[in-house]
Amino acid sequence: MSTDEIPLLELRNVSKTFRSAAGETIHAVRAVSLAVRRGETVALVGESGSGKSTLGRIALGLIRPDAGEVLLDGRSFASLSSRAFREARQAMQPVFQDATASLNPRRTVRELMAQALRRHGGSVDVHAAAILDSVGLRPGSQYLDRLPHELSGGQRQRLAIARALAVEPALIVADEPLSGADVSIRGQVLNLLLDLQEARSIAYVMITHDISIARAFADRAAVMLRGEIVESGTVDEVLVEPKHEYTRRLLAAVPELDRRAW
Ligand code: ADP
Ligand code: MG
């Protein structure tokens, strides 16, 4: 097999159960397999509680599955030394819905960027300003002394993306990154992510309950229901001509939108 054929990230039969407060077993993810290739976007869609975030956290190495394997570049997480595992985790960066929660309110933008850039040599200010520029916080140098609360919600989400980018990841797992943002910000952030993907060939796993975002943004889609992937394929196959009744119901619930609308 050539290296081109090895997926960037592969989940093989991963499962994860939780115990509820009442002591019941919750099968959050059941024997899910999913591959993400370099530079592509895979949308993970499904209603709330279907296991999307849990699967995303397993992919990021933040949750260890009870069963199954996660492979980055064909190497199983379980086979890695703790140092190699830390490096693998660096290659995959999260962007969560609530940027505010992931940004220490007492740290300036400079300090927040310095954390993400700590593995780089050279001037943090120069590097950080360039990345801030690239996410549309321009000129980046003028943001360095600000605190998170001095930014708007949209600017904070851009800062969260800038921090993820500073690590130079091969994959970004974005978990509902646009929920709660107003429509104009959603369009801007989506377009930013698309531009960055083109420039740096980053792969995305885009977790969303919003089918219109998945359609506008993804190459492939996987539909989750009660912890399982019930349907997957190209966006056209899955989100335009779905075979599964559940996917049809999800689609029926969303207004028509296309890429141009962003
Ligand atoms: P989604 O992101 O699709 O809304 P989640 O992965 O967050 O779904 O949750 C899947 C199921 O697992 C839900 O029933 C949720 O309540 C449960 N769950 C998720 N995380 C935990 C946890 N840390 N402890 C207990 N139950 C959890
Ligand atoms: Mg979720």
Side-chain angles (χ1 to χ4, degrees):
M1 204 196 275
S2 84
T3 51
D4 287 356
E5 289 164 327
I6 297 176
L8 174 63
L9 178 76
E10 197 181 350
L11 306 177
R12 285 191 194 155
N13 274 313
V14 296
S15 297
K16 177 70 191 172
T17 58
F18 294 110
R19 198 154 289 280
S20 74
E24 288 158 348
T25 302
I26 300 167
H27 294 275
V29 172
R30 306 173 197 237
V32 165
S33 296
L34 182 72
V36 182
R37 301 182 199 111
R38 254 157 254 290
E40 79 167 345
T41 298
V42 177
L44 206 52
V45 301
E47 64 197 0
S48 177
S50 56
K52 306 181 299 296
S53 294
T54 303
L55 193 63
R57 286 173 181 276
I58 289 171
L60 287 161
L62 299 174
I63 293 179
R64 189 197 292 260
D66 302 327
E69 258 191 308
V70 185
L71 299 94
L72 183 69
D73 274 326
R75 293 194 305 161
S76 167
F77 280 4
S79 74
L80 301 177
S81 67
S82 53
R83 185 192 177 138
F85 179 58
R86 273 200 305 277
E87 270 167 28
R89 287 212 329 204
Q90 292 280 317
M92 302 177 295
Q93 290 292 309
V95 173
F96 295 116
Q97 171 179 348
D98 184 3
T100 310
S102 67
L103 300 170
N104 185 330
R106 285 189 289 272
R107 298 260 181 263
T108 62
V109 170
R110 175 183 289 101
E111 290 166 333
L112 291 165
M113 291 301 293
Q115 243 172 20
L117 284 166
R118 67 184 179 275
R119 289 145 53 92
H120 288 262
S123 159
V124 166
D125 279 19
V126 171
H127 222 102
I131 297 167
L132 292 169
D133 274 342
S134 76
V135 300
L137 295 172
R138 296 194 192 101
S141 56
Q142 291 196 7
Y143 287 86
L144 292 174
D145 291 315
R146 296 204 201 166
L147 290 163
H149 75 85
E150 295 172 311
L151 304 176
S152 70
Q155 288 173 333
R156 278 197 293 271
Q157 196 60 312
R158 284 163 190 270
L159 174 58
I161 293 168
R163 290 184 80 207
L165 286 175
V167 184
E168 296 180 0
L171 174 75
I172 288 181
V173 177
D175 193 347
E176 308 274 4
L178 304 163
S179 305
D182 70 40
V183 172
S184 67
I185 291 172
R186 284 160 50 134
Q188 287 172 20
V189 173
L190 267 182
N191 285 326
L192 168 64
L193 291 172
L194 286 170
D195 290 347
L196 292 169
Q197 183 168 54
E198 212 158 285
R200 304 176 185 219
S201 77
I202 302 170
Y204 294 122
V205 173
M206 178 63 121
I207 298 174
T208 179
H209 63 269
D210 187 333
I211 303 276
S212 62
I213 288 177
R215 260 196 211 141
F217 192 74
D219 304 302
R220 292 192 302 125
V223 182
M224 284 192 83
L225 171 64
R226 290 194 286 272
E228 291 178 290
I229 291 182
V230 292
E231 184 163 10
S232 67
T234 66
V235 162
D236 282 351
E237 285 163 356
V238 177
L239 300 182
V240 180
E241 303 270 350
K243 293 186 183 58
H244 201 282
E245 175 58 30
Y246 171 66
T247 314
R248 288 202 197 110
R249 272 192 282 126
L250 282 180
L251 292 190
V254 292
E256 201 51 45
L257 273 177
D258 68 11
R259 204 170 198 128
R260 277 161 305 165
W262 303 107

